Amino acid sequence: GVGLVFQDYALFPHLTNLQNVMFGLSDLTKAEALKEARLALARVDLEPLANAYPHELSGGQQQRVALARAMAPRPGILLLDEPFSGLDRRLRDQVRADTLAVLRDARATAIVVTHDPEEAMRLSDRIALIRRGQLVQVGAPDELFMRPRDLGVARFFCELNEMESTARAGRVETALGAFPVPAGISDGPVVVAVRPKGVSLTPSGCGIAGRVVERRFLGEIDLVEVKVAGLERPVVVRTPDAGHAAKGREVGLQVDPAEVLVFAATGA
């Protein structure tokens, strides 16, 4: 009752795609197995290639054949071991979307192993984060992203601007401003982490003073590094439009408190 999609697909090269899908249907008659295998290939839009061989397919098509083979016996649980890691980024996005649609259509329970945080959030209703063999946090994607249990969980899901400081009377002072300390964190050493999307650029003289040391165009966003007095490392800013922020220019920074996380230093 368990289906498995391997990381390298593990398709038999000497069998056609149809025969690969039929492999797990040994309990059925040949006629029944053919029918179920064709239905499984149709579900992943590959029935026209039923008589082709795996080497004649693209990586994304091979992944879909492997998915069809795993789902043909109608398993109660489907395990996918990093099934998209061998695909280039553009193809990976499309195949992930197709796979998710197939899983929802089949109403199959799936467990996906991945080291890609975006992939985990795109595919999952619930995420279980494992570190060194220990279960660290389980919950919905937005819960783990917005309310990470420790700094390690926060780092997994997002690049962070990290600053060491000391909490006193429920507040913590940093070079990027003062912020409230969550309940349950005692006075003492803490790590303040600010997501890059929570930092915005303002004209010089507004906000926290800084100087642009690097700017990179990444397509949909600009990545800007800003040197701020009191911090060893530049503050990383991700913004849809860096505007006036040319390298070497003086700018200001403003921080959205909703994008600030505070952890006890022992949890780092």
Side-chain angles (χ1 to χ4, degrees):
V2 177
L4 177 61
V5 177
F6 297 89
Q7 185 173 354
D8 60 358
Y9 316 142
L11 298 174
F12 298 110
H14 62 290
L15 300 181
T16 66
N17 298 320
L18 182 63
Q19 291 169 333
N20 265 285
V21 177
M22 290 175 61
F23 182 79
L25 300 173
S26 55
D27 292 339
L28 304 180
T29 66
K30 185 174 181 180
E32 291 173 332
L34 276 169
K35 179 181 177 181
E36 289 296 321
R38 289 192 179 278
L39 283 173
L41 283 172
R43 191 178 293 162
V44 296
D45 296 323
L46 286 179
E47 189 178 11
L49 296 174
N51 294 319
Y53 288 86
H55 73 270
E56 299 178 87
L57 306 182
S58 68
Q61 290 171 327
Q62 289 182 36
Q63 193 273 346
R64 284 150 59 194
V65 172
L67 178 63
R69 180 180 62 182
M71 296 187 66
R74 303 180 188 274
I77 298 176
L78 188 65
L79 307 180
L80 299 96
D81 179 16
E82 297 195 76
F84 314 111
S85 60
L87 306 176
D88 65 66
R89 180 169 181 176
R90 180 181 298 180
L91 182 59
R92 184 164 63 241
D93 289 345
Q94 182 59 53
V95 175
R96 278 193 304 213
D98 293 343
T99 299
L100 185 59
V102 169
L103 293 174
R104 284 179 172 164
D105 180 61
R107 302 183 67 83
T109 297
I111 299 175
V112 183
V113 177
T114 179
H115 292 85
D116 183 338
E118 180 181 339
E119 184 167 282
M121 289 189 284
R122 278 193 178 198
L123 290 175
S124 303
D125 299 310
R126 286 167 61 79
I127 296 175
L129 188 65
I130 297 173
R131 183 190 307 137
R132 294 189 291 271
Q134 299 296 315
L135 195 59
V136 179
Q137 187 172 353
V138 181
D142 59 338
E143 179 183 344
L144 268 68
F145 185 86
M146 299 303 298
R147 296 182 294 281
R149 180 166 295 175
D150 61 30
L151 183 57
V153 176
R155 284 171 174 164
F156 178 76
F157 287 102
C158 183
E159 180 182 12
L160 298 171
N161 295 296
E162 298 178 26
M163 301 165 286
E164 295 181 357
S165 189
T166 303
R168 294 187 179 89
R171 301 281 293 176
V172 59
E173 296 280 347
T174 75
L176 294 183
F179 306 102
V181 175
I185 296 182
S186 304
D187 287 356
V190 294
V191 176
V192 180
V194 182
R195 297 188 182 100
K197 70 171 186 172
V199 185
S200 57
L201 299 171
T202 61
S204 179
C206 300
I208 299 156
R211 179 174 53 83
V212 176
V213 294
E214 190 64 78
R215 175 180 176 178
R216 296 289 182 187
F217 175 69
L218 301 182
E220 295 181 356
I221 64 166
D222 289 332
L223 187 147
V224 183
E225 295 183 8
V226 181
K227 180 64 178 175
V228 173
L231 295 178
E232 291 185 10
R233 302 181 64 179
V235 175
V236 177
V237 182
R238 288 179 176 265
T239 176
D241 181 14
H244 58 283
K247 186 174 181 179
R249 179 165 293 186
E250 301 296 324
V251 296
L253 297 179
Q254 289 185 339
V255 178
D256 180 358
E259 300 295 341
V260 178
L261 303 168
V262 181
F263 303 98
T266 53

